[in-house]
Amino acid sequence: MLISSLHKTLNELELLLNQLSNDDFTMPCKGLSNSTIGEHTRHIIEMFHCLENQYENGVVNYDRRNRDCRIQTDTHFALQCLADIRNQLEKDNKKLLLEQIVDEEELHIESNYYRELLYNLEHCIHHQALIKVAVLQLEHLKIDPDFGVAPSTIEYRRQCAQ
């Protein structure tokens, strides 16, 4: 179920990126403090890359991202990165140690691969909601009304509509 939800969410992002020109992708959005769709896409991708690249050693630190500017400026490259992520999701669940510095204190928190995949799914949906703010300013784009909406909210809306 988790893997299929990840594929669905990443597919929604791919469908959007396939509609974007590089100009759309890199245009600053005033409603997002002048960040771009590309920057939010890069952030999503790099979080997944962190989990993928740090899976083997068992210590995940999302602050240690590459911040590859090519992802945020080239929609074709971003799409290739998303395809690569989708192809690498299915791994054995195993214990991981999440490492992060919070208020100058280094924290180590036990986690596991599936928990971190769930975190990345929720993080992706959150950034898709932000991307949607920019997309709604681009009238030539078509976007699913549920893009960037949490599955629990979609289900709640369905129940209310009945």
Side-chain angles (χ1 to χ4, degrees), residues 13-151:
L13 184 56
E14 287 175 6
L15 289 171
L16 172 65
L17 295 187
N18 277 314
Q19 295 182 63
L20 297 176
S21 68
N22 277 338
D23 287 343
D24 294 333
F25 196 58
T26 59
M27 183 173 54
C29 174
K30 192 173 188 177
L32 295 175
S33 301
N34 288 324
S35 65
T36 68
I37 294 170
E39 289 169 330
H40 284 276
T41 301
R42 177 188 53 80
H43 184 66
I44 290 167
I45 289 169
E46 288 180 348
M47 297 295 276
F48 279 103
H49 280 171
C50 275
L51 181 57
E52 168 67 24
N53 295 336
Q54 298 171 29
Y55 172 86
E56 280 305 315
N57 75 11
V59 179
V60 177
N61 185 325
Y62 292 110
D63 293 333
R64 294 190 182 132
R65 297 190 305 278
N66 289 338
R67 293 171 172 85
D68 183 345
C69 290
R70 186 171 166 204
I71 297 170
Q72 72 187 41
T73 58
D74 182 342
T75 55
H76 297 292
F77 185 63
L79 284 163
Q80 182 57 55
C81 290
L82 288 171
D84 292 345
I85 289 166
R86 289 173 59 157
N87 291 329
Q88 298 168 350
L89 289 173
E90 294 192 45
K91 292 183 177 23
D92 291 334
N93 193 21
K94 73 174 199 175
K95 289 183 180 181
L96 297 172
L97 190 63
L98 182 62
E99 177 183 272
Q100 190 164 351
I101 296 176
V102 177
D103 294 331
E104 299 178 20
E105 181 181 344
E106 189 169 303
L107 301 176
H108 294 94
I109 299 170
E110 289 183 17
S111 188
N112 63 62
Y113 180 62
Y114 291 166
R115 175 62 189 104
E116 294 309 310
L117 279 180
L118 180 59
Y119 167 74
N120 273 275
L121 173 62
E122 293 172 346
H123 179 263
C124 183
I125 292 168
H126 164 74
H127 277 275
Q128 285 179 330
L130 293 170
I131 289 169
K132 190 175 192 176
V133 171
V135 168
L136 292 175
Q137 295 179 10
L138 302 171
E139 295 176 3
H140 64 282
L141 296 178
K142 293 180 180 146
I143 190 165
D144 188 298
D146 290 337
F147 182 89
V149 179

